Amino acid sequence: DAGITQSPRHKVTETGTPVTLRCHQTENHRYMYWYRQDPGHGLRLIHYSYGVKDTDKGEVSDGYSVSRSKTEDFLLTLESATSSQTSVYFCAARQGVEQPQHFGDGTRLSIL
Amino acid sequence: RKEVEQDPGPFNVPEGATVAFNCTYSNSASQSFFWYRQDCRKEPKLLMSVYSSGNEDGRFTAQLNRASQYISLLIRDSKLSDSATYLCVVNMASNYQLIWGAGTKLIIKP
């Protein structure tokens, strides 16, 4: 158990609504990541954080924002959800830049 | 060219057989490497790190070839429970990111 929990685990919402996904970790990992996974694309990085209040964009950051106000929490926000953001979202964390990542259970998000 | 490439498979392998996957990467500055497995609709889980000298964990052996820029995973005496997608990951420590392959699907048949 890597001590990473994501909430909610499942969510269905409508186009145009704001959505926030939460990632909480208990291992004091410095680095945290949000990915989305879609069939045929593998894991794609949305945003990542290298410390409290330190975040940067990944390859598919358009339409997403993040915040990290404390070490244990990394929030992903879809300001105005679109159907193309229907996906499985994974949060990951790691202690150091040479270390592997550990993942949360994922959030299945459907935008109707 | 993708930064990390894997044969998507599926590899259909009888139980008890040996199977090997390769993964190629394009950036010679890549610093560390990992193999993960992912079961259907689940999160990726670390299988093993890959060291320059090669490493073994039970039935699993990982190798790194920096000259040819690929890593490999060998599974011996395959079990039904080995059926999963195997993800190759390359670590670019300089920019905090990991580069993920799209995965190789393995199906072990009785």
Side-chain angles (χ1 to χ4, degrees):
Chain A
D1 183 5
I4 300 171
T5 55
Q6 293 184 228
S7 59
R9 294 291 314 280
H10 302 270
K11 187 173 182 66
V12 180
T13 191
E14 295 183 347
T15 299
T17 60
V19 177
T20 296
L21 308 184
R22 180 184 184 230
C23 179
H24 178 79
Q25 53 111 347
T26 59
E27 302 293 326
N28 203 36
H29 291 304
R30 178 181 173 185
Y31 303 93
M32 297 185 75
Y33 302 79
W34 276 108
Y35 293 93
R36 61 178 290 174
Q37 189 174 37
D38 306 287
H41 286 279
L43 284 167
R44 292 186 290 174
L45 182 64
I46 304 171
H47 282 278
Y48 64 98
S49 170
Y50 49 96
V52 173
K53 294 190 181 355
D54 292 322
T55 64
D56 206 348
K57 296 178 180 180
E59 65 174 303
V60 291
S61 59
D62 287 349
Y64 302 94
S65 62
V66 289
S67 66
R68 192 165 178 206
S69 59
K70 45 187 179 177
T71 298
E72 57 266 36
D73 289 324
F74 192 32
L75 303 181
L76 176 71
T77 297
L78 291 64
E79 301 289 349
S80 178
T82 66
S83 58
S84 64
Q85 294 175 311
T86 292
S87 188
V88 179
Y89 291 83
F90 288 106
C91 173
R94 61 177 176 170
Q95 192 60 262
V97 291
E98 295 287 343
Q99 303 300 312
Q101 291 176 338
H102 300 281
F103 284 80
D105 291 341
T107 295
R108 299 189 180 281
L109 178 62
S110 296
I111 315 294
L112 304 179
Chain B
R1 181 186 174 188
K2 293 182 181 178
E3 292 188 73
V4 176
E5 293 202 61
Q6 297 183 252
D7 183 338
F11 284 52
N12 290 283
V13 175
E15 191 175 9
T18 295
V19 60
F21 314 128
N22 278 349
C23 166
T24 59
Y25 61 95
S26 60
N27 193 326
S28 59
S30 302
Q31 295 182 281
S32 52
F33 308 85
F34 308 100
W35 282 103
Y36 283 71
R37 70 169 280 165
Q38 185 174 26
D39 295 293
C40 188
R41 300 173 72 81
K42 299 283 192 179
E43 77 278 17
K45 292 187 177 180
L46 179 66
L47 181 64
M48 58 198 305
S49 302
V50 185
Y51 303 120
S52 296
S53 56
N55 50 300
E56 188 174 306
D57 183 1
R59 297 181 294 108
F60 298 84
T61 300
Q63 298 275 353
L64 167 63
N65 186 318
R66 285 194 182 271
S68 300
Q69 295 186 198
Y70 73 87
I71 66 173
S72 63
L73 178 68
L74 180 79
I75 306 174
R76 290 181 298 278
D77 187 24
S78 53
K79 313 290 185 189
L80 296 176
S81 59
D82 293 333
S83 295
T85 296
Y86 290 83
L87 302 167
C88 159
V89 189
V90 172
N91 189 25
M92 302 297 297
S94 59
N95 65 1
Y96 310 128
Q97 296 184 33
L98 285 78
I99 311 299
W100 292 78
T104 296
K105 186 170 184 178
L106 174 64
I107 300 171
I108 306 298
K109 301 197 168 184

